[in-house]
Amino acid sequence: MKALITGASSGIGLEMAKYLASMKIELILVARSKEKLEHLQEQLPTKTTIIVMDLSVEQKVKELYVITKDQNIDILINNAGFGYCGDFDKDEIATDISMIETNIKAVHILTKAYLRDMIKKNRGYILNVSSSAGFLPGGPLMATYYASKSYILSLTEAIHYELKQRKSNVSISCLCPGPVHTNFNRVANVEFKVQAMRASTVAKYAIDELFKKKMLIIPGFKMQCAKFFSRFLSDKVLLMITYRIQHRKIR
């Protein structure tokens, strides 16, 4: 088998690469940092190809598919993404657009392109990395990020149902973790005030559930409980809670 992972140079993506490599699965790793990718490549026990690419540029996303479409990809993991914390009107528009391009457009393009190939073969796995933020009605102080993760969750759920109706052997899943110790925190300008999960724990759980063809993957009992009980709260209350949580995280 062969897997393609975006955002593979750190955090969950890096740990997924390590876990898949331990299963002797060949890897194609994509990220912006050549140095980090080369360092990871040296550590892995399986055949690994690295591609240095900025997925916030649409043309680069399309180029990624062109140069890998004949590689017989069995597993696509759309992990690349980032967030930023602050009042919406104070965020730089360039940051917002880059986030939309990376978190939404790149995932959409790659999902559609590789899904078509997998449907032709009638086999394959796609894992889109969203967030627990995707379940909420909005994310005050992280408005663009929360909206992007809601998009990914909604898109994945819809595709999963379409494939199920067609009785396809192709599986698509959505990973929705809570706080995780990754480089995301530094980029997003936040500091978690609650206990965060280890990226390696999240990665292993996600891959195991992916191979079970589970649509919604929520690592950790606490986050599973939070998802369950949130349905009993109004959107107004959830927005208030979210605002207070984000406000406490700002550095």
Side-chain angles (χ1 to χ4, degrees):
M1 296 182 74
K2 184 177 294 186
L4 187 154
I5 308 174
T6 68
S9 62
S10 64
I12 296 173
L14 180 149
E15 295 298 337
M16 285 181 174
K18 289 181 178 180
Y19 188 52
L20 288 171
S22 72
M23 300 178 186
K24 308 303 180 185
I25 294 175
E26 293 185 20
L27 301 171
I28 299 177
L29 307 181
V30 184
R32 293 182 298 177
S33 174
K34 181 180 180 181
E35 182 179 352
K36 290 181 179 180
L37 285 176
E38 289 178 338
H39 180 67
L40 176 57
Q41 185 182 35
E42 293 172 358
Q43 301 177 52
L44 299 176
T46 190
K47 181 180 178 181
T48 303
T49 302
I50 62 172
I51 299 176
V52 180
M53 193 163 286
D54 182 357
L55 297 182
S56 68
V57 180
E58 181 180 344
Q59 188 55 42
K60 292 296 183 181
V61 177
K62 294 177 178 178
E63 181 181 327
L64 173 62
Y65 173 68
V66 169
I67 63 179
T68 60
K69 65 179 181 179
D70 295 326
Q71 294 294 311
N72 197 25
I73 304 299
D74 302 291
I75 305 165
L76 168 67
I77 299 178
N78 283 309
N79 173 68
F82 71 96
Y84 191 81
C85 194
D87 289 291
F88 181 76
D89 65 298
K90 296 177 182 177
D91 293 346
E92 293 293 334
I93 188 63
T95 302
D96 290 344
I97 296 303
S98 181
M99 196 185 307
I100 291 169
E101 294 283 347
T102 306
N103 295 12
I104 295 178
K105 186 180 284 188
V107 175
H108 190 111
I109 292 172
L110 294 177
T111 296
K112 185 179 287 285
Y114 290 104
L115 178 64
R116 286 172 170 169
D117 292 341
M118 291 177 182
I119 287 175
K120 290 177 183 177
K121 298 183 297 183
N122 197 30
R123 60 181 171 83
Y125 300 88
I126 296 176
L127 177 62
N128 289 334
V129 179
S130 178
S131 164
S132 56
F135 299 126
L136 297 170
L141 299 181
M142 291 189 77
T144 305
Y145 175 76
Y146 272 61
S148 72
K149 292 306 179 180
S150 292
Y151 182 96
I152 296 308
L153 176 57
S154 177
L155 179 74
T156 306
E157 286 180 320
I159 298 170
H160 181 271
Y161 190 81
E162 291 175 6
L163 293 172
K164 184 177 180 180
Q165 292 300 109
R166 292 158 64 173
K167 295 181 172 55
S168 174
N169 286 325
V170 180
S171 175
I172 187 167
S173 305
C174 192
L175 172 61
C176 296
V180 183
H181 283 299
T182 68
N183 191 48
F184 174 92
N185 310 342
R186 180 186 62 79
V187 176
N189 191 38
V190 299
E191 182 178 356
F192 291 127
K193 303 299 182 181
V194 297
Q195 186 175 5
M197 295 185 70
R198 292 170 59 90
S200 57
T201 302
V202 172
K204 183 180 184 303
Y205 181 81
I207 296 299
D208 289 345
E209 295 296 287
L210 173 69
F211 287 144
K212 294 176 185 177
K213 299 187 175 183
K214 187 172 181 180
M215 201 297 293
L216 185 59
I217 302 173
I218 307 175
F221 180 69
K222 289 183 180 179
M223 287 311 304
Q224 292 168 6
C225 288
K227 167 68 167 61
F228 176 80
F229 287 109
S230 67
R231 70 182 67 184
F232 301 109
L233 301 176
S234 68
D235 286 359
K236 182 178 180 180
V237 171
L238 288 172
L239 286 166
M240 179 184 68
I241 293 172
T242 302
Y243 178 83
R244 290 181 177 179
I245 290 173
Q246 302 306 340
H247 192 267
R248 288 176 60 207
K249 291 194 305 188
I250 297 177
R251 287 176 174 169

